[in-house]
Each structure stands twice: as structure tokens, then as C-alpha cells.
Amino acid sequence: MWSWLLHRITGVILVVGLLYHFILMHFMGHDNYSYNAVMQRLSEPSWKIFNIVFLFSALYHGFYGLNGVVTEYVRNNSLKRILKFMAFTVPIGLAFYGFKIVFF
């Protein structure tokens, strides 16, 4: 049950984050997406937290959904095991890589 609830929560986080992104980047002026403005924004801790929460939400939401598709539609047990393993390990690797990009 907790995984289902977390899937719904991450969906809400993604919708709110995307709305915030679109409002800031596309409706608040053209100077918001210049290189200097983006670098200044990314140096702030609040933006780093926003990016990490958004990254983890996207990874969990996407790969949990992919896991559901594999569970429902893949009939071959060995292929299903391999795909489920990948649906668990790939987001962990992407999370470490994303964390490195945001903080280093």
C-alpha cells in the first residue's frame, strides 16, 4: 500500500513542480533562462532541494510505473526478473548521477 500511495504523492509533486517550472521559465520573462540566471538559481540551496526532490519523484514515479507494466504484460519469467532488476537498479544509478550533477 505504501508504494501505491508514494506513487500518487510523487505524481502530485511532479505536477506542482512542472507548473512551477513553466510559470517561472516561460511566463516570468525572458531573462530567467539565460546562462547567468540559471547558474545563479542553481547556486541557491532551495533550488538544489527542489531539483533533488523533483529528480527522486520523477525516478520513483516513472520506474514504479514501468515495474507495473512489466508485472502485467511480460509473460516470460526470466525476462520479467531481468526487467524488474533493471527497474530497481537503473533509477538508483540515475539518482546518484543526478545528485552528483546538482551538488558537485
Side-chain angles (χ1 to χ4, degrees):
M1 175 178 141
W2 291 106
S3 58
W4 177 85
L5 182 62
L6 188 57
H7 192 242
R8 293 332 185 248
I9 292 170
T10 56
V12 171
I13 290 170
L14 289 173
V15 168
V16 170
L18 281 172
L19 286 173
Y20 184 66
H21 166 79
F22 277 113
I23 289 169
L24 178 73
M25 296 301 289
H26 301 288
F27 300 121
M28 298 296 285
H30 296 294
D31 58 335
N32 284 333
Y33 51 86
S34 70
Y35 177 79
N36 291 331
V38 171
M39 288 292 104
Q40 189 274 332
R41 214 173 21 252
L42 290 177
S43 67
E44 297 173 10
S46 61
W47 270 101
K48 289 182 181 187
I49 292 170
F50 171 80
N51 283 326
I52 290 297
V53 168
F54 194 79
L55 170 70
F56 288 161
S57 295
L59 287 173
Y60 181 83
H61 191 83
F63 281 95
Y64 181 81
L66 182 63
N67 186 42
V69 169
V70 168
T71 300
E72 292 290 324
Y73 294 108
V74 176
R75 303 249 188 254
N76 187 336
N77 284 335
S78 59
L79 179 61
K80 186 184 287 190
R81 216 173 301 125
I82 291 168
L83 292 174
K84 282 183 167 255
F85 177 75
M86 289 178 66
F88 179 74
T89 56
V90 169
I92 291 173
L94 291 173
F96 281 122
Y97 188 65
F99 191 84
K100 178 184 169 195
I101 289 172
V102 170
F103 283 103
F104 300 109

